[in-house]
Amino acid sequence: MGTDDPGRTGDRDGRNTIKAVDTSLSIVEALKRERTAKVSELAQLTGHSKANVYKHLNTLKAQGFVERDDDEFRLGLGYLDLGGLVREQLEGQHIIKPKIAEIADKTEEVAQYMVESNGKSVIVFKEVGHQGVSLRTRVGAQLPIHQVASGKAMLAFMPDARVDEIVQRHGLPAATENTITDPETLNDELAEIRERGYATNRSESTKKLFAVSVPVMSVSENVIGACTVSGPTHRMNDTGKTSQVVETLRSVTNEIELNLAHS
C-alpha cells in the first residue's frame, strides 16, 4: 500500500488499523506542534501528498476540528468539547480538582494532577499558587513519564511488567543532562520512591525546575494518578521547603484517597 492508501494496515502490536485515520491523526499532531500551517507545510511534515492533506483538512474542518484563516490551518474548538468530556469521565475528578487548588494555595507554587495514559504522564488539572512560575506545560500535555516527578511516582507503584512495557515502547530519551536514561538506574530510583513514598524531579525535564510528587492510590492499591508541586530549584530545593511540600502533598492525597474510597 502507498502512503496515501486509505485502506487498512497493521500497527506495531499487529492489530489492524485504518490508514485514513492514521493520516488524519498525523495531520492533527503536526498542527498541534506547529500551531498554524499551510497545506504544503503539512504535506512536507507528514509525508503525505498535498491533495490528500487538503482532503483530510476539509473533512476535519467540516466537523469543527480544524479551522482555516486564508491559507493557514489550525486546530478547532471541537477538541475542547472532547477534552472536557474525557476529563469529566476520570475517576474522582470532582474530588481531585478542588484539592489541586488547595495544594497550590498552601505551597504557593504550581500544583498539578497527572495520570498515566499510553505510557505518558498527562496533565489533568493545573493550578498556579501565589509564587508559582509560568511553566510551558498545559492541561492535556503528555510528558515523557520517566522525566517528570509525577511519572516516576506512578511508575514506582505499577507492576514491573507495565514499567518494562512503557520503557520498551517509548525508551528513556534525555531532556537535560540530569534525565535518567538507563533502565537499571530508573529501577533503582523507583525502589527508593516506593520506600520514601514520593518522587522528585531535579532538573530532569527542564533546567532549574524542581518538582515533588506523591501517588494517588485506589482502594485496591492500584496507582490512579499523582499530585505534583513544581517550582524553581533555588526555592524548592531548600530542605525546609521540600519537607513542607511533601507534608502538604501527603496530607491532601490521603484526603483524596479517603474520599475516593467512600464516594
Side-chain angles (χ1 to χ4, degrees):
M1 293 183 181
T3 302
D4 296 332
D5 193 316
R8 294 178 182 273
T9 186
D11 67 9
R12 70 179 68 199
D13 296 321
R15 297 186 296 268
N16 285 330
T17 60
I18 298 174
K19 191 65 178 179
V21 176
D22 287 340
T23 300
S24 285
L25 291 176
S26 70
I27 293 168
V28 168
E29 283 295 319
L31 278 176
K32 185 176 78 171
R33 292 192 304 270
E34 301 298 314
R35 302 298 178 93
T36 63
K38 299 178 181 179
V39 171
S40 58
E41 294 169 338
L42 291 169
Q44 184 175 10
L45 289 167
T46 61
H48 301 296
S49 68
K50 288 191 287 186
N52 200 40
V53 168
Y54 186 71
K55 286 190 293 184
H56 281 266
L57 286 169
N58 273 344
T59 303
L60 291 165
K61 181 175 178 293
Q63 300 298 323
F65 293 110
V66 163
E67 296 179 4
R68 180 177 183 178
D69 291 322
D70 296 326
D71 59 350
E72 296 270 341
F73 290 86
R74 67 175 186 275
L75 297 180
L77 291 175
Y79 297 103
L80 188 60
D81 181 37
L82 291 178
L85 177 61
V86 169
R87 189 162 70 170
E88 284 181 5
Q89 293 174 334
L90 288 175
E91 181 180 358
Q93 60 86 25
H94 62 290
I95 294 170
I96 296 168
K97 182 179 180 180
K99 290 299 181 181
I100 297 303
E102 180 181 332
I103 292 171
D105 183 57
K106 287 183 175 180
T107 64
E108 299 187 327
E109 303 288 355
V110 175
Q112 298 175 122
Y113 177 68
M114 325 276 273
V115 299
E116 181 268 325
S117 178
N118 201 30
K120 299 289 184 72
S121 186
V122 183
I123 302 173
V124 179
F125 297 113
K126 176 180 177 179
E127 296 288 343
V128 181
H130 178 66
Q131 294 185 5
V133 296
S134 178
L135 301 175
R136 291 175 297 172
T137 52
R138 64 185 181 280
V139 170
Q142 301 182 26
L143 310 176
I145 200 165
H146 70 292
Q147 294 179 4
V148 293
S150 61
K152 291 190 291 181
M154 291 186 286
L155 285 173
F157 293 90
M158 289 181 187
D160 291 342
R162 177 59 179 153
V163 175
D164 291 342
E165 180 186 356
I166 290 172
V167 172
Q168 288 175 14
R169 178 174 185 182
H170 296 289
L172 298 173
T176 74
E177 63 272 17
N178 294 325
T179 308
I180 294 175
T181 57
D182 174 62
E184 209 169 294
T185 303
L186 177 63
N187 287 334
D188 289 344
E189 176 146 353
L190 297 183
E192 292 179 12
I193 292 167
R194 282 190 291 273
E195 185 175 341
R196 67 175 180 247
Y198 68 90
T200 59
N201 168 7
R202 300 172 185 271
S203 299
E204 295 164 53
S205 59
T206 304
K207 290 183 177 181
K208 299 182 180 180
L209 178 74
F210 187 104
V212 180
S213 187
V214 172
V216 177
M217 310 297 289
S218 68
V219 179
S220 55
E221 291 299 307
N222 294 317
V223 62
I224 61 173
C227 294
T228 302
V229 172
S230 305
T233 298
H234 74 270
R235 194 162 62 225
M236 289 284 292
N237 201 27
D238 175 80
T239 303
K241 176 74 171 184
T242 302
S243 298
Q244 180 225 340
V245 169
V246 170
E247 183 180 347
T248 299
L249 283 170
R250 281 176 167 164
S251 174
V252 175
T253 54
N254 184 52
E255 290 178 25
I256 290 172
E257 290 169 349
L258 285 172
N259 286 327
L260 289 175
H262 296 93
S263 64

